[in-house]
Amino acid sequence: MPFGFLMPVHAFWIGPALGPMARACLASFVRAGHPVTLHSYQRPHDLPPGVAFADATRLVPPERIIRHRETGSYALFANVFRYRLLQRYDCLYVDCDVYCLKPVERAAYLLGWEDDVHINGAVLRLPKDSALLRALNAVADDPTPIPPWLPEELQAELRENARQGRPTSVQDMPWGVLGPRAITWLAKDCGVDGKALPTEAFYPLHYTQVHRLLDPELTVEDLVTPRTQCLHLYNEMLRRLDLSAVPPSSPLGRMLAAPELVPSRWDRLRQGFLWRR
């Protein structure tokens, strides 16, 4: 399908540089034909050709940026941002560690199971008026929530802390509290968990198997199926490995080396129209 007629893809980043993996992932959506926009508080100096830049301040002021206290990760805030973004734009949100293998098929709901337990939000599209999106934004806007998807004993502890005037910040809650756990519980509560695609759509490689991305004896095709549209690379897990010398013949090596696409002037004009919709 020609560039500009597929769903607009939006992503979010914090920092002055994307680095090779995030750059390759964004470029993969451009190459597949999607109009791509990156939201950030500063323009990365290595933004790939064909990716539009948007000031993230338009959606969430920088003073609202939060990090997970234990890990220091911005993934917590990325969840807050993605739900706000989907409320504002009719688009497909993707994390910057999602690699596009083929154009993503349009659907009102786009979300996928990463395993038998959780629905991940690294690839996410929800109707603006959906109960699920409203619920996700509601919990993301609460600085001291008591999420019902946490263990009951932890919920009781949070309630007691709040009763004593010491509410617990979301920054001090378990990893992923606003991510897959929230999406899975709320999707079931809203009755739309059945709309989540099977793991092969976006998460054919489980996060416990990311080391396979560095195996020089494997190809990308070895990790996916013919029905896979995107491949989540799980950067939070992958960066724990030695990435100083990625084997060129490995799946990750091949993805990093894939050529980038420079869209035509007409394609860029269409992209600029689509991302603002």
Side-chain angles (χ1 to χ4, degrees):
M1 189 174 292
F3 184 94
F5 288 99
L6 295 172
M7 283 183 297
V9 166
H10 289 230
F12 173 64
W13 184 260
I14 291 181
L18 292 166
M21 187 167 69
R23 179 183 171 106
C25 286
L26 291 174
S28 71
F29 282 93
V30 176
R31 193 165 51 249
H34 288 279
V36 181
T37 298
L38 179 70
H39 297 255
S40 184
Y41 292 99
Q42 60 186 126
R43 185 187 183 95
H45 64 74
D46 53 351
L47 194 70
V51 176
F53 174 78
D55 184 357
T57 305
R58 296 176 180 176
L59 282 177
V60 184
E63 55 267 24
R64 285 203 56 198
I65 295 176
I66 56 175
R67 300 172 73 167
H68 190 248
R69 197 94 63 188
E70 181 180 348
T71 65
S73 174
Y74 286 114
L76 179 65
F77 180 67
N79 288 313
V80 175
F81 194 92
R82 87 187 65 201
Y83 306 144
R84 180 66 62 85
L85 187 150
L86 289 172
Q87 194 68 60
R88 172 64 178 83
Y89 297 108
D90 180 17
C91 68
L92 172 66
Y93 172 87
V94 299
D95 280 343
C96 287
D97 58 353
V98 173
Y99 195 89
C100 185
L101 298 174
K102 63 176 67 172
V104 180
E105 298 174 7
R106 183 182 292 270
Y109 286 84
L110 277 171
L111 62 170
W113 293 96
E114 70 172 5
D115 52 30
D116 294 336
V117 178
H118 290 121
I119 297 172
N120 200 303
V123 179
L124 191 63
R125 173 180 165 87
L126 300 172
K128 293 182 181 181
D129 60 350
S130 66
L132 175 54
L133 185 56
R134 287 196 300 271
L136 287 168
N137 271 298
V139 71
D141 287 341
D142 187 347
T144 57
I146 302 179
W149 45 89
L150 292 181
E152 291 185 5
E153 59 273 19
L154 180 52
Q155 292 182 52
E157 180 182 334
L158 297 177
R159 282 192 290 269
E160 179 61 19
N161 289 345
R163 188 187 68 79
Q164 296 182 14
R166 297 182 288 103
T168 305
S169 168
V170 68
Q171 296 172 262
D172 295 309
M173 292 185 185
W175 172 263
V177 66
L178 297 182
R181 298 187 194 188
I183 295 172
T184 306
W185 196 95
L186 291 171
K188 291 179 178 179
D189 190 56
C190 295
V192 295
D193 54 305
K195 295 183 181 296
L197 296 175
T199 56
E200 64 180 351
F202 308 130
Y203 310 100
L205 181 70
H206 195 258
Y207 62 81
T208 59
Q209 299 294 313
V210 293
H211 61 275
R212 301 184 71 198
L213 289 166
L214 303 178
D215 190 333
E217 301 300 321
L218 296 179
T219 67
V220 175
E221 290 72 24
D222 292 325
L223 307 179
V224 303
T225 79
R227 289 180 289 277
T228 300
Q229 300 176 61
C230 300
L231 177 59
H232 189 204
L233 304 183
Y234 290 103
N235 178 59
E236 291 289 341
M237 300 296 294
L238 191 60
R239 67 181 181 178
R240 301 178 187 181
L241 305 178
D242 181 11
L243 301 179
S244 59
V246 177
S249 64
S250 68
L252 182 59
R254 293 176 185 274
M255 287 186 277
L256 295 180
E260 295 180 350
L261 171 70
V262 180
S264 69
R265 181 175 179 275
W266 173 238
D267 289 333
R268 290 195 300 270
L269 287 173
R270 284 188 295 180
Q271 180 187 44
F273 169 73
L274 283 168
W275 85 260
R276 293 179 174 85
R277 295 181 64 186

